[in-house]
Every structure is written in structure tokens, then in C-alpha cells.
Amino acid sequence: MSALLDREAERAAIDNVLAAARGGLSSTLVLRGGPGVGKTTLLQYSVAAASDLTVSTVSGVESAGRRSP
Ligand SMILES: Nc1ncnc2c1ncn2[C@@H]1O[C@H](COP(=O)(O)OP(=O)(O)OP(=O)(O)O)[C@@H](O)[C@H]1O
Ligand SMILES: [Mg+2]
């Protein structure tokens, strides 16, 4: 992974969540933003920063939508 530019605030938020987990505290962080803004890249940073922890991942797929009757 190439170096992340900027994103200090986002990385700090991720680092805080990981530090809390290491201390036995659960927490939740919602990562949202428009297309191509860097969400996946920050998730990859999260996984790399959590190499000492157990990481579980899930993937979502866009619904095909409700069919007409
Ligand atoms: N902070 C950053 N520094 C450098 N490059 C970045 C950074 N954030 C994202 N990029 C680059 O920008 C591109 C888009 O990033 P990314 O795929 O993470 O966006 P995304 O929000 O997950 O997009 P999508 O909405 O399509 O899923 C990638 O090529 C990624 O390497
Ligand atoms: Mg993405």
C-alpha cells in the first residue's frame, strides 16, 4: 500500500478505536463518504494497524432491488 496522504484526523480516530480495543473496550466507528474518497484505503490502514489483533471482515453487495410482482 502506498503512503496515505493527509487523513491525520481519520487515522487518529481509527488508532483510538484500536487503542480502546487493546484496553478491553468495545467501540464503533462509522466510515462514510462519497465514491472514491478513500474509504477502502482507510479500512486497509485499519487492518494493517491492527496486526496484533484478531480482525473479522464482512463484505456487502448492492441489492438488486425488489422485483415487480
Ligand atoms: N489518503 C490517501 N492518500 C493517497 N491515496 C489515496 C488516499 N485515499 C485514497 N487514495 C487513493 O484513491 C483511490 C480511491 O480510494 P479508495 O478506493 O480507498 O476509495 P473508496 O472511498 O473506497 O471508493 P469507492 O467509493 O469506489 O469504494 C485509490 O487509488 C487510493 O489508493
Ligand atoms: Mg471502496
Side-chain angles (χ1 to χ4, degrees):
M1 181 169 65
S2 57
L4 270 181
L5 303 175
D6 201 13
R7 302 298 188 206
E8 280 99 355
E10 290 83 354
R11 281 187 279 166
I14 291 166
D15 293 342
N16 285 341
V17 165
L18 295 178
R22 291 185 185 98
L25 295 175
S26 66
S27 50
T28 303
L29 184 65
V30 177
L31 185 58
R32 63 190 178 101
V37 80
K39 302 177 297 294
T40 296
T41 301
L42 284 168
L43 285 176
Q44 290 168 342
Y45 168 81
S46 306
V47 171
S51 59
D52 57 319
L53 302 172
T54 300
V55 177
S56 299
T57 64
V58 296
S59 297
V61 293
E62 189 173 357
S63 168
R66 188 184 299 178
R67 290 192 184 147
S68 304

